[in-house]
Amino acid sequence: MPEGKAAAEEAAPEAAPSKEEPSKEAPPQQPPSAPAPPGDAGAVPVSSVGAEFARTRDIVILAGVLLLLACAFGTVLLQAWPPAPPPAGSAAAAQEHAARTRILFWRLGLLRDVRLFVVVTAAGGLGALVHVLRSLYEYVGNQSLRRRWLLMYVLEPYIGALMALVVYFVLRGGLTTTTASSNDINPYGVAALAALVGMFSREAVQKLNDVFETVFTAAGKSADRIPAPADRSSDPGPDR
C-alpha cells in the first residue's frame, strides 16, 4: 500500500492540467500599397491659378482684342506696302529717297528696305492671328477653354510677327548677295513667307532649333524645365 500511495502522489502532478501560455497573435498585415505611377517622382507642382474655365466676359474681351489686332496689322500691311520700283537705269532708281507714308497714327519717311521690314512684321502678325482665332473658336465651341491660356492668345500675334522678322533676316542675309537691292525683292513673296512663319511659329522655332543643334553643341536640359503634361485636352498651346 505505501508503494501504491507513493505512485499515486507522483502521478498526480503529472495529471494536473498544465497552464498553456497565451498564443501570440501575428499583427494584421497591411495591404500592399499601390505602386506610384511612373513620372510622379519629382513631379513639378502645378498651380491652380487659371484652372477654371473662361467666362463669357473673358471670351468676348479676348475676341475683341484679337479682332482689333487683326485690323491694326492689316492696316499697317496696306499702308507700308512698297510701291513698284522705278525702271532700272532711271534717275529715280539711282538715288533712292525715303518716301513719307502714314503708318496708323504717324507719318514717317521710310526707305524701301524699311517698308519691307514693316510688311514682314505685319504679315507675320496676321498669320499668327489666323492661328489663334481658329484655335479660339474651336476651344470655345467645345467648351474647354481655360483662363490660363488667355495670355497665350494675346501674345501669340506678337511672337509670330517677331519670328517672321527673324526668319526674314536669316533668309535675306543668306540667300541674297550683299550687292542686291531691295528693288529686286518681291514683296508678295516675303509677305507670304512671313504669314506662313507667323501661322506656324512653333514649327519655325523647332526648325531653327534643329539647325542650331546640328551646327553647335546642344545645350543641356535645365532642371527647371517644364515637363510636357499628360493631359492636353484643354491645352491650346502645343497642339493647336
Side-chain angles (χ1 to χ4, degrees), residues 129-140:
L129 280 166
V130 172
H131 168 80
V132 296
L133 287 173
R134 182 185 61 83
S135 174
L136 178 63
Y137 77 68
E138 285 184 357
Y139 275 83
V140 171

Side-chain angles (χ1 to χ4, degrees), residues 12 19 34 38 42 44 57 61 74 83 111 114 133-134 139 152 155 159-160 163 174 177 179 203 221 232:
K19 296 182 180 180
V44 179
R57 179 184 60 185
I61 294 176
L111 295 172
V114 181
L133 287 173
R134 182 185 61 83
Y139 275 83
M152 185 276 295
L155 296 181
I159 296 174
M163 276 302 305
T177 62
T179 58
E203 288 79 1
K221 302 297 183 182
R232 292 180 175 178

Side-chain angles (χ1 to χ4, degrees), residues 41-119:
V44 179
V46 179
S47 173
S48 61
V49 176
E52 63 273 11
F53 289 102
R55 302 176 182 176
T56 304
R57 179 184 60 185
D58 303 328
I59 297 172
V60 171
I61 294 176
L62 177 61
V65 170
L66 294 179
L67 291 176
L68 285 177
L69 284 176
C71 294
F73 279 122
T75 302
V76 171
L77 180 64
L78 294 177
Q79 290 177 334
W81 195 264
S90 62
Q95 185 177 6
E96 185 180 6
H97 65 282
R100 299 191 66 84
T101 184
R102 185 179 183 84
I103 303 295
L104 292 180
F105 308 107
W106 302 276
R107 190 168 183 84
L108 307 172
L110 303 177
L111 295 172
R112 184 177 174 85
D113 263 334
V114 181
R115 284 175 177 264
L116 289 174
F117 296 157
V118 178
V119 166

